[in-house]
Amino acid sequence: MNALRNKVQLIGHVGQEPEIKNFEGGKKLAKFTLATNEVYYNNKEKVTETQWHNITAWGKTAEIIENFVTKGKEIAIEGKLTYNSWEDKNGEKKYTTEIVANELLLISK
């Protein structure tokens, strides 16, 4: 049951070309956004709600993203939810939520 404590699975479309960063020692980081859609009906009118998710990946997963993932592709990811905070240049506290992906499945060609 420990493996289920912080696990996120999403299927969606890549919102932008992934940003790739290379670090000393060969470490690699990939960042991109993923759009997921929820469709429901409100008084017979079809409504689509899009949620945007910030995705990061390291190492081999980042290499796969660099080589195969482009804007618009449909992918499935699995990872964990993380929260970050920092102070901006005005001293205001800022927060961000992201998913650190550790597995990736390419769905669209």
Side-chain angles (χ1 to χ4, degrees), residues 23-27:
F23 297 94
E24 288 183 27
K27 222 175 184 186

Side-chain angles (χ1 to χ4, degrees), residues 50-100:
T50 301
Q51 297 290 322
W52 288 94
H53 312 277
N54 296 314
I55 311 295
T56 60
W58 292 90
K60 286 286 189 191
T61 307
E63 287 179 29
I64 292 167
I65 291 166
E66 179 179 34
N67 293 321
F68 299 104
V69 174
T70 56
K71 179 180 179 179
K73 282 215 185 249
E74 187 177 22
I75 64 170
I77 63 111
E78 182 176 289
K80 66 179 182 177
L81 197 57
T82 61
Y83 303 95
N84 299 305
S85 63
W86 72 95
E87 283 190 19
D88 68 8
K89 61 185 174 191
N90 299 323
E92 290 184 45
K93 195 130 185 164
K94 301 289 183 177
Y95 301 91
T96 186
T97 302
E98 62 186 18
I99 296 155
V100 178

